Amino acid sequence: MTTNLFLKRKELLLFSAHGEHNSCCQLKNFIHCLNLFEKRRPLRFAYAEAETLMMNHLTLKENILLDGVTNSLCMSKEFQLKRHLNKEGRPALVELFTKIGDLELKPHEVSNETKKLTSLLKTLLKPSDYIFLESPELHLSENNLEVFIRALKEQLEKTEQTIFVFSRDEDLWAPYASKKILKGADGLIKVLLPSSFKKSSEKIAA
């Protein structure tokens, strides 16, 4: 059963399920929510897990290109993604891309933070109607988290996507969220408006 759930484009939603914190359960609950409220098929969503899973035998560049990035961006020897993002007016995404560093390295040769940046960039690049981010702040330094938040806000401005964020640090993401989707212990999916999940001193970020 549900109550008052309206999924709109170009908004960020907090997402949580009572008593369930592992990745498998959160992804399952997210898909269940989409199945209830999205009539279009197939469901098109991009997912970034809390602990980044990558193809270890591929370079970071190859992992980014694995799915979601158009063929025209990798037809030549020169990786054209940065130029494409500049052309599309995506400075925050370009900055996120630059933070990754050497794209010819493989996942086992880089830090958890670099892997996380690569995963988040790949998720934002993938053509989709919905994005599900699980603990996107995990492994990110304060500076890189600020860059990612700018990229996320830019994503909402430039696309028609709806972004769901699951995080144990909900206070971090609450200023950017328009609603909170909560699956209760009774299985009921509820919608909480900002006044019920934000601190009184918080305001939605401009």
Side-chain angles (χ1 to χ4, degrees), residues 112-204:
N112 285 334
E113 182 172 38
T114 298
K115 286 189 286 187
K116 189 60 174 275
L117 290 169
T118 304
S119 174
L120 293 172
L121 175 69
K122 179 179 177 179
T123 301
L124 295 185
L125 290 173
K126 183 175 181 178
S128 63
D129 298 314
Y130 300 95
I131 293 176
F132 181 40
L133 303 172
E134 182 190 352
S135 300
E137 73 282 356
L138 188 64
H139 299 309
L140 295 187
S141 66
E142 183 176 349
N143 177 261
N144 283 338
L145 178 59
E146 290 176 358
V147 172
F148 175 67
I149 289 174
R150 290 200 300 272
L152 206 57
K153 294 168 70 175
E154 184 180 86
Q155 190 81 4
L156 290 171
E157 294 170 2
K158 296 288 186 177
T159 74
E160 295 295 317
Q161 293 169 314
T162 304
I163 300 174
F164 292 75
V165 173
F166 166 77
S167 174
R168 292 176 178 82
D169 187 1
E170 290 192 347
D171 288 344
L172 171 64
W173 299 101
Y176 311 101
S178 58
K179 302 182 187 75
K180 178 177 177 179
I181 309 301
L182 174 64
K183 182 181 178 184
D186 56 2
L188 191 71
I189 295 178
K190 303 176 182 178
V191 176
L192 304 180
L193 297 178
S195 59
S196 64
F197 67 83
K198 295 183 180 181
K199 297 177 181 178
S200 59
S201 61
E202 290 179 328
K203 295 181 180 179
I204 298 178

